């Protein structure tokens, strides 16, 4: 590894040439693509002349697509047909820009694609203008990154270390494309934990997928871990990334390691799924937290409404301001239902645990996941682990092939205290999980036992009925001056005579007619006695007779407005009933109760509600089933308040300290 560190340090030192012309946070945009170019250059050197000869022959023969033939010669997934390499470019300092462009254009499509997504051509112009291009090419010419000197595995480590170091230079954006390695290692442990025996089989081939793969760190760590378990095993990696630069880095990393770069797709996984026909053995991801999906709302909703469960979002849609759980639904859609099923590990913030009421998007998604017995475990991580946020995060582990003892169960692991403080903060990242702590968390997960940090629940423990408890509407009625005045505030009454300002097209005589009708209604009401009626039906009959005598006929909406204005809630009044004689519910007294799925709704109602409100009933048409995971509640530890004497001593001590500080400011006078 000494050689590994020397090469990292050498490449890192080249970045010093950019000082003054580039911000430190932008060094990687130059050095990383140059590192890729140099590795590809060294890898192609042994077959360079043969490729040029064959390319000339194929071109003269009129072959339209020479790439497969040339790739066979190089033994790689790429080739280059330019006469230039780093040595030749170094020997022509006056033409360095044109020669480098010619060299890049000579690469096969997949390699050239990487350079373009790095937005490298813009940087070439900038480097030329700053007289830095030749210096950088010269320095890179000094390092040998050939596969004979640096294996694919070691080159992968070098590239990942450079990514990490450049990410740390840009604390404000590091979290967008860099997940802390210890978090990935823990996730991979949880992902492979149940399959350790299976993964040690000879000649094993498995697939792994990340729909928001960033620079590919999760995929790389998973591959390294599997090599530790079984050096003969092969893990074929697939990923998709929306950020152009991160996509370029990830694809370059695959190419550098001798893997198939075409397994990495560019674009939005939701609207342009690069693997629409694929399923995978393993999936893991750290999607963006709290990112809204308004830009793709139309496509997502169309799939939800038109395809239902045949698509990815049949269970429901989350609120527009956080689409992280959409990634989880997307991953579940790519689970295998044969060949032993699939396993998923994903990092989410706290919102997907509880956001959304019963019947709403997030709750329905949780309901679908849990009722299909897909959720195996959730691990609460320490705070301040990530570069761009200090919020609470959780690893969800899902599978459609639970072990027998895990079926119908969900394990919660509280690992918030499993961290050590870093010597130097990186943005919001002030904590890290040590290898020993990763092993301990993994052991707690693997043992599947109740303990201080582990709780095991039935699936139904997280489900509940949300019932609507109604109470009867009881009103009294009175044609008093105060209540008649309230009628003037009712919209249906006001609409009888709109002002000219609101309805300029209305004729003067029509307005006057409406005002006259308003006045007539009020006169009728004022003519009624001010008796308080506690039966709506009785009062309505009296009102109808008074209006009939005055020759006034009210529309249903206006009559409803009159009754509303003249009524008040009254617990001593008789129950208002509908046309079928059923009690009408009082919206102001409506309440909701949460009942565990393991409880009987009627039993709960008789036990908890009826003794307090005997006239209540359940509106069964409004009963909904919801799911939430109140993680913190299950691990809450009561801490008794401090003794008053201790608090008073602290207050006195603080007062004394404040006085001493004030004396220093204003002198030694009395305070």
């Amino acid at each position: 590894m000494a050689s590994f560190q020397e090469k990292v340090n050498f490449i890192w030192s080249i970045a010093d040439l950019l000082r003054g012309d580039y911000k430190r946070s932008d060094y990687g945009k130059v050095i990383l693509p140059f590192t890729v170019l140099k590795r590809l250059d060294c890898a192609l050197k042994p077959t360079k002349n043969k490729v040029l000869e064959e390319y000339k022959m194929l071109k003269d023969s009129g072959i339209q697509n020479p790439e497969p033939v040339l790739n066979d010669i190089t033994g790689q997934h790429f080739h280059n047909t330019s006469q230039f390499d780093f040595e030749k470019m170094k020997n022509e300092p006056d033409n360095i820009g044109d020669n480098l462009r010619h060299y890049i254009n000579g690469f096969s499509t997949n390699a050239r694609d990487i350079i373009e997504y790095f937005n490298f051509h813009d940087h070439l112009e900038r480097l030329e203008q700053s007289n830095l291009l030749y210096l950088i090419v010269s320095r890179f010419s000094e390092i040998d990154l050939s596969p004979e000197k640096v294996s694919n595995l070691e080159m992968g480590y070098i590239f990942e270390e450079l990514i990490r170091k450049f990410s740390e230079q840009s604390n404000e954006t590091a979290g967008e494309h860099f997940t802390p390695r210890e978090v990935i290692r823990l996730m991979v442990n949880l992902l492979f934990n149940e399959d350790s025996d299976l993964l040690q089989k000879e000649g094993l081939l498995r697939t792994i997928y990340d729909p928001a793969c960033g620079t590919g760190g999760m995929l790389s760590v998973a591959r390294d871990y599997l090599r530790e378990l079984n050096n003969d095993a092969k893990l074929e990696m697939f990923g998709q990334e929306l950020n152009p630069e991160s996509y370029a880095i990830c694809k370059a990393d695959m190419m550098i390691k001798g893997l198939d770069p075409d397994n990495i797709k560019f674009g939005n996984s939701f609207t342009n799924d690069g693997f629409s026909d694929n399923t995978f053995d393993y999936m893991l991801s750290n999607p963006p937290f709290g990112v809204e999906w308004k830009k793709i709302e139309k496509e997502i909703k169309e799939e939800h409404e038109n395809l239902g469960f045949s698509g990815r979002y049949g269970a429901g849609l989350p609120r527009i301001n956080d689409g992280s759980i959409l990634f989880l639904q997307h991953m579940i859609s790519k689970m295998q239902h044969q060949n032993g099923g699939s396993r998923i590990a994903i990092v989410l913030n706290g919102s997907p645990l509880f956001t959304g009421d019963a019947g709403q998007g997030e709750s329905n998604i949780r309901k679908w996941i849990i009722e299909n017995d897909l959720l195996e475990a959730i691990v609460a991580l320490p705070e301040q682990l990530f570069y761009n946020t200090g919020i609470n995060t959780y690893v969800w582990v899902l599978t459609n092939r639970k072990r027998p003892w895990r079926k119908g169960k969900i394990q919660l692991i509280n690992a918030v205290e499993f961290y050590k403080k870093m010597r130097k903060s990186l943005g919001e990242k002030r904590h890290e999980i040590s290898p020993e702590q990763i092993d301990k968390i993994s052991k707690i997960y693997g043992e599947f036992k109740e303990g201080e940090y582990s709780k095991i629940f039935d699936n139904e423990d997280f489900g509940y009925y949300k019932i609507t408890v109604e109470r009867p509407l009881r009103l009294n009625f009175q044609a008093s001056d105060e209540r008649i005045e309230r009628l003037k505030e009712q919209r249906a009454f006001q609409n009888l005579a709109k002002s000219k300002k609101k309805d300029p097209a209305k004729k003067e005589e029509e307005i006057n007619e409406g005002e006259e009708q308003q006045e007539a209604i009020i006169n009728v009401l004022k003519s009624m006695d001010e008796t308080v009626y506690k039966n709506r039906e009785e009062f309505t009959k009296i009102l109808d007779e008074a209006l009939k005598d005055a020759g006034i006929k009210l529309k249903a909406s206006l009559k409803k407005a009159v009754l509303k204005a003249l009524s008040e809630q009254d617990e001593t009044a008789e129950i208002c009933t509908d046309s079928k004689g059923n009690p009408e519910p009082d919206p102001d007294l409506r309440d909701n109760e949460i009942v565990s799925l393991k409880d009987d709704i009627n039993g709960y109602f008789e036990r908890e509600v009826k003794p307090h409100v005997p006239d209540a009933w359940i509106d069964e048409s409004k009963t909904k089933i919801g799911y939430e995971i109140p993680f913190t509640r299950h691990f809450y530890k009561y801490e008794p308040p401090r003794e008053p004497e201790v608090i008073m001593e602290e207050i006195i001590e603080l007062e004394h300290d404040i006085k001493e500080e004030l004396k220093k400011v204003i002198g030694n006078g009395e305070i």
Side-chain angles (χ1 to χ4, degrees):
M1 295 305 289
S3 174
F4 154 79
Q5 195 59 52
E6 286 172 7
K7 289 179 172 61
V8 169
N9 292 341
F10 178 84
I11 296 172
W12 181 254
S13 71
I14 299 175
D16 286 338
L17 294 171
L18 302 174
R19 187 176 297 169
D21 293 282
Y22 274 81
K23 294 187 298 183
R24 291 181 67 85
S25 58
D26 289 337
Y27 286 1
K29 295 176 181 179
V30 173
I31 301 302
L32 290 176
F34 262 112
T35 303
V36 174
L37 286 174
K38 180 58 178 176
R39 171 64 171 187
L40 302 187
D41 185 72
C42 292
L44 295 176
K45 188 173 183 178
T47 60
K48 181 76 172 180
N49 292 332
K50 190 173 181 180
V51 165
L52 292 177
E53 292 172 6
E54 186 69 21
Y55 178 63
K56 186 177 184 304
M57 290 176 56
L58 293 171
K59 195 175 180 181
D60 292 342
S61 302
I63 300 297
Q64 296 296 316
N65 182 21
E67 290 202 358
V69 177
L70 299 180
N71 284 352
D72 283 342
I73 295 174
T74 65
Q76 307 283 353
H77 293 284
F78 54 92
H79 62 267
N80 188 294
T81 57
S82 168
Q83 61 181 316
F84 293 103
D85 56 23
F86 268 71
E87 285 299 321
K88 288 183 178 179
M89 288 188 288
K90 181 182 176 182
N91 293 333
E92 295 188 27
D94 293 337
N95 298 316
I96 188 67
D98 291 339
N99 292 346
L100 182 55
R101 289 183 182 87
H102 185 277
Y103 173 68
I104 291 171
N105 290 333
F107 274 107
S108 51
T109 305
N110 52 8
R112 198 164 60 247
D113 182 52
I114 292 172
I115 302 304
E116 288 174 358
Y117 277 102
F118 267 118
N119 201 23
F120 193 54
H121 289 288
D122 289 346
H123 290 290
L124 289 185
E125 292 184 12
R126 185 173 172 183
L127 292 169
E128 279 185 289
Q129 293 170 2
S130 304
N131 295 318
L132 292 172
L133 187 57
Y134 180 74
L135 291 174
I136 291 174
V137 171
S138 298
R139 290 296 304 277
F140 269 101
S141 299
E142 298 172 18
I143 187 171
D144 186 355
L145 297 179
S146 62
E148 293 76 21
K149 296 286 185 180
V150 183
S151 69
N152 285 338
L153 179 62
E154 186 179 8
M155 190 64 220
Y157 283 137
I158 290 170
F159 199 63
E160 286 177 23
E161 180 66 6
L162 289 170
I163 294 169
R164 184 187 68 79
K165 289 171 77 71
F166 285 124
S167 294
E168 290 176 3
Q169 296 299 307
S170 179
N171 288 339
E172 71 275 6
T173 59
E176 292 178 8
H177 56 83
F178 189 78
T179 303
R181 283 302 185 265
E182 76 270 19
V183 175
I184 302 175
R185 181 70 189 220
L186 173 61
M187 292 175 67
V188 171
N189 270 19
L190 300 175
L191 197 65
F192 289 158
N193 189 287
E194 297 288 292
D195 291 349
S196 56
D197 295 337
L198 172 69
L199 294 174
Q200 293 180 39
K201 287 186 177 180
E202 219 172 300
L204 183 77
L205 172 62
R206 287 290 182 268
T207 57
I208 190 165
Y209 168 66
D210 183 348
C213 63
T215 57
M218 287 194 163
L219 297 173
S220 296
V221 173
R223 182 171 179 265
D224 294 344
Y225 183 85
L226 185 56
R227 288 172 68 96
E228 291 177 19
L229 290 174
N230 182 356
N231 198 44
D232 295 326
K234 183 179 179 183
L235 188 65
E236 196 169 359
M237 301 187 293
F238 299 82
Q240 186 157 346
E241 175 54 37
L242 179 61
N243 179 279
E245 184 179 299
S246 297
Y247 162 75
I249 292 172
C250 183
K251 195 165 183 176
D253 189 39
M254 294 280 284
M255 191 171 281
I256 278 172
K257 292 174 179 174
L259 304 173
D260 189 353
D262 291 335
N263 286 353
I264 305 301
K265 306 293 184 184
F266 178 74
N268 191 308
S269 296
F270 299 144
T271 57
N272 184 25
D273 184 1
F275 303 97
S276 56
D277 298 324
N278 296 67
T279 57
F280 303 95
D281 297 300
Y282 300 100
M283 287 169 269
L284 77 176
S285 191
N286 174 24
F289 302 146
V291 175
E292 69 171 32
W293 48 281
K294 192 170 185 62
K295 290 181 181 179
I296 55 173
E297 180 180 7
K298 181 175 180 289
E299 294 92 335
I300 297 289
K301 285 190 172 180
E302 281 181 356
E303 180 172 338
H304 168 67
E305 293 165 2
N306 297 333
L307 297 182
F309 284 99
S310 298
R312 294 169 289 179
Y313 314 115
L317 299 177
R319 59 200 60 206
I320 203 77
N321 61 1
D322 188 359
S324 59
I325 204 168
L326 290 175
F327 280 97
L328 178 54
Q329 292 172 272
H330 172 77
M331 294 164 79
I332 291 173
S333 75
K334 298 193 176 299
M335 280 183 154
Q336 296 181 353
H337 297 285
Q338 297 174 343
N339 303 323
S342 303
R343 290 180 62 77
I344 293 172
I346 184 171
V347 181
L348 297 172
N349 61 16
S351 295
L353 293 171
F354 53 81
T355 305
D357 201 357
Q360 293 181 348
E362 292 92 344
S363 180
N364 286 341
I365 295 168
R366 289 189 293 269
K367 177 177 183 288
W368 173 66
I369 289 172
I370 294 174
E371 289 186 350
N372 282 280
D373 202 19
L374 297 176
L375 183 57
E376 185 171 89
I378 298 178
V379 180
L381 299 177
E383 295 179 339
Q384 301 176 17
L385 275 185
F386 292 83
Y387 298 96
N388 60 347
T389 180
I391 63 172
N392 292 310
T393 52
Y394 301 80
V395 177
W396 290 42
V397 182
L398 299 93
T399 182
N400 57 357
R401 53 180 170 91
K402 284 186 178 182
R403 295 291 186 95
W405 52 88
R406 285 188 180 268
K407 288 186 180 297
K409 304 286 184 181
I410 297 172
Q411 183 181 16
L412 302 185
I413 298 174
N414 185 26
V416 295
E417 297 176 4
F418 288 68
Y419 69 88
K420 63 177 184 179
K421 287 188 176 292
M422 297 174 63
R423 291 181 181 177
K424 182 182 178 182
S425 299
L426 295 172
E428 295 291 328
K429 181 174 174 59
R430 298 178 178 87
H431 299 154
E432 62 185 355
I433 310 174
S434 70
E436 295 76 21
Q437 290 168 328
I438 290 174
D439 290 342
K440 186 172 181 180
I441 297 168
S442 303
K443 184 179 180 183
I444 292 170
Y445 168 79
E447 288 177 343
F448 192 59
K449 294 179 181 176
E450 290 263 355
E452 181 181 0
Y453 303 107
S454 173
K455 307 287 183 185
I456 297 171
F457 300 89
D458 296 330
N459 288 348
E460 295 80 10
D461 287 330
F462 299 110
Y464 62 89
Y465 299 104
K466 182 179 180 181
I467 63 172
T468 300
V469 177
E470 301 282 16
R471 293 182 62 191
L473 181 64
R474 298 175 185 268
L475 300 173
N476 69 40
F477 297 84
Q478 183 185 29
S480 65
D481 291 340
E482 180 185 350
R483 298 190 190 189
I484 292 171
E485 282 299 311
R486 292 206 303 243
L487 176 59
K488 296 177 182 179
E489 299 170 5
Q490 295 292 317
R491 179 169 296 179
F493 184 79
Q494 293 173 347
N495 286 343
L496 283 173
K498 294 180 181 178
S499 68
K500 285 186 177 181
K501 186 177 180 181
K502 289 184 178 179
D503 192 0
K506 204 163 190 180
K507 295 179 181 178
E508 182 71 32
E509 59 268 21
E510 290 177 336
I511 295 172
N512 290 337
E513 185 181 328
E515 291 175 349
E516 289 171 2
Q517 191 176 2
Q518 286 178 329
E519 187 176 351
I521 293 170
I522 289 175
N523 288 336
V524 169
L525 297 179
K526 286 186 175 181
S527 69
M528 297 171 63
D529 63 69
E530 294 192 22
T531 303
V532 176
Y533 294 87
K534 297 194 176 185
N535 181 296
R536 185 173 65 182
E537 188 175 349
E538 180 185 356
F539 178 77
T540 302
K541 286 180 180 178
I542 294 172
L543 175 64
D544 288 343
E545 288 176 6
L547 291 169
K548 184 178 179 182
D549 291 342
I552 299 173
K553 188 174 183 180
L554 301 183
K555 292 181 180 179
S557 60
L558 185 54
K559 184 176 179 181
K560 184 177 179 181
V562 172
L563 289 173
K564 183 177 180 181
L566 301 182
S567 66
E568 286 185 356
Q569 283 184 319
D570 184 348
E571 290 186 3
T572 65
E574 295 184 29
I575 295 173
C576 298
T577 57
D578 60 21
S579 59
K580 296 181 180 179
N582 298 317
E584 284 188 28
D586 187 339
D588 293 332
L589 297 178
R590 183 174 294 141
D591 199 6
N592 295 113
E593 293 283 335
I594 301 300
V595 184
S596 168
L597 284 187
K598 288 186 171 181
D599 203 346
D600 174 69
I601 292 178
N602 292 325
Y604 174 91
F605 183 72
E606 293 294 330
R607 183 177 69 248
E608 303 293 339
V609 180
K610 272 283 191 180
H612 307 288
V613 280
D615 58 357
W617 72 92
I618 299 173
D619 185 344
E620 295 182 359
S621 68
K622 295 178 181 176
T623 297
K624 295 177 181 177
I625 294 178
Y627 277 81
E628 68 173 11
I629 305 169
F631 198 104
T632 306
R633 187 196 310 165
H634 291 300
F635 290 94
Y636 173 75
K637 293 179 182 178
Y638 173 73
E639 294 184 6
R642 293 176 299 162
E643 294 295 327
E645 294 80 6
V646 175
I647 297 172
M648 184 55 69
E649 287 178 6
E650 290 182 1
I651 292 173
I652 293 171
E653 187 176 343
L654 282 171
E655 286 180 346
H656 177 267
D657 291 343
I658 291 169
K659 285 181 178 180
E660 292 300 315
E661 291 298 320
L662 285 172
K663 284 180 181 179
K664 293 177 183 177
V665 175
I666 64 175
N668 294 322
E670 290 294 325
I671 295 177

